[in-house]
Amino acid sequence: MYKHLQERYAPRPPVNIATLAKMKSEGEKITAITAYDASFATLVDDAGVDVVLVGDSLGMVIQGHDTTVPVTLNDIIYHCRAVARGLYRPFLMADMPFMTYASKEQALDNAVRLMQDGGAKMVKLEGGAGQVEIVEFLARHDIAVCAHLGLKPQSVHKVGGFRVQGREEAAAEQMMRDAKALQGAGADIVLLECIPAKLGAEITLALEVPVIGIGAGVQTDGQILVLYDILDVTAGRKPKFSKNFMAGNAGPLEAVKAYAQAVKSGTYPGPEHCF
Ligand code: KIV
């Protein structure tokens, strides 16, 4: 059956940008997770997750690199296509990899490829004040954009490691200004990674668009985690903010359901996951 016919009978219609805005206004937490293939896409859909990200974290958890820097646009498109085939309800977001949005024209060409070839409904880019013009250009061309602030893994070599961001007052104030400027430029979602919980709460309160956090405290409008961290298959040291949801659950589906329920009820993240 064609997807649009299925949609007419679905008890829960597919999530779109308006659904997410409504969730923010009604105080319902948004659950988001990464996925990289069709099988896990179907599983996280069955678990009731609202947003799925084909993240450039695939460079680390799938390809085995130390950073996300080597990931290419074609890598994301390949995985996004597979994920899109497995998804029905969640809103599908795809990462724009390192150096695929260095100019607004390049960003537009590559965002169009992620949507037309990959099946993404929204693109995510890492950016601050320097990316306002690019976000504005994409928004002007009716492309849904998520702006990623805080720890920006594509900048790891410039910053000198994966560190908590926004601890100092000046940096926190700059992040608040950036978040407002990106919203003003047309960003539909702001994602905050690895920042103090207090700053996560303040930015969430200050913005009208939904704010999704990863290591940004419990008061953001939603949470996102890397699927393989939840399932405890990521090798090596785990980030402080992540949680192994396989513990006490029978399998991956139950683990992702437990994650989604914990986010919806506000029991994840706990104080031990926050900065
Ligand atoms: O690439 C990714 O998976 C991400 C999340 C960690 C937010 O950007």
Side-chain angles (χ1 to χ4, degrees):
M1 193 190 280
Y2 292 118
K3 274 199 168 181
H4 73 277
L5 291 180
Q6 278 177 336
E7 283 167 19
R8 292 171 59 186
Y9 306 110
R12 299 187 77 200
V15 174
N16 59 37
I17 202 69
T19 322
L20 300 174
K22 187 162 176 273
M23 287 168 81
K24 171 158 183 146
S25 70
E26 293 179 352
E28 179 183 347
K29 294 281 185 188
I30 298 166
T31 55
I33 199 163
T34 65
Y36 315 100
D37 66 45
S39 300
F40 274 121
T42 302
L43 184 145
V44 301
D45 189 345
D46 289 346
V49 165
D50 302 310
V51 177
V52 170
L53 168 69
V54 180
D56 59 2
S57 52
L58 70 83
M60 299 171 81
V61 299
I62 303 279
Q63 297 174 332
H65 296 295
D66 287 341
T67 74
T68 59
V69 172
V71 176
T72 66
L73 191 76
N74 284 339
D75 291 338
I76 298 282
I77 290 172
Y78 173 86
H79 287 277
C80 200
R81 269 190 186 147
V83 169
R85 286 184 204 114
L87 280 192
Y88 170 65
R89 180 181 167 273
F91 191 60
L92 179 55
M93 187 195 301
D95 255 337
M96 302 201 70
F98 180 62
M99 279 300 133
T100 61
Y101 50 98
S103 70
K104 52 188 190 176
E105 291 78 15
Q106 185 198 27
L108 182 60
D109 286 349
N110 289 331
V112 168
R113 283 202 62 207
L114 287 172
M115 294 175 74
Q116 292 191 326
D117 299 344
K121 293 178 177 160
M122 167 178 266
V123 299
K124 173 164 86 60
L125 54 84
E126 296 181 8
Q131 280 64 44
V132 164
E133 215 187 311
I134 290 169
V135 170
E136 200 274 328
F137 195 65
L138 294 179
R140 196 151 24 100
H141 287 85
D142 292 332
I143 292 176
V145 182
C146 172
H148 182 150
L149 288 173
L151 171 62
K152 294 177 278 184
Q154 292 171 14
S155 311
V156 61
H157 299 309
K158 184 76 175 166
V159 174
F162 298 107
R163 296 159 198 265
V164 180
Q165 301 293 309
R167 281 198 198 271
E168 305 77 24
E169 206 178 317
E173 285 171 6
Q174 183 62 54
M175 206 182 298
M176 176 67 87
R177 277 195 296 275
D178 287 356
K180 287 181 180 169
L182 289 160
Q183 172 180 265
D188 305 275
I189 293 183
V190 168
L191 187 146
L192 301 174
E193 178 164 357
C194 240
I195 63 168
K198 182 171 168 288
L199 180 58
E202 286 167 0
I203 295 177
T204 304
L205 200 62
L207 296 192
E208 281 163 27
V209 298
V211 175
I212 297 182
I214 174 165
V218 71
Q219 293 194 53
T220 53
D221 300 309
Q223 301 290 330
I224 186 163
L225 281 179
V226 170
L227 176 66
Y228 290 14
D229 289 346
I230 286 179
L231 301 181
D232 200 30
V233 290
T234 306
R237 208 170 127 240
K238 311 287 182 306
K240 174 183 161 88
F241 54 74
S242 80
K243 179 171 172 182
N244 168 17
F245 280 90
M246 282 298 279
N249 284 302
L253 178 61
E254 289 73 19
V256 181
K257 275 186 181 167
Y259 161 67
Q261 278 159 13
V263 172
K264 289 279 179 200
S265 64
T267 54
Y268 172 82
E272 70 277 23
H273 306 116
C274 297
F275 301 105

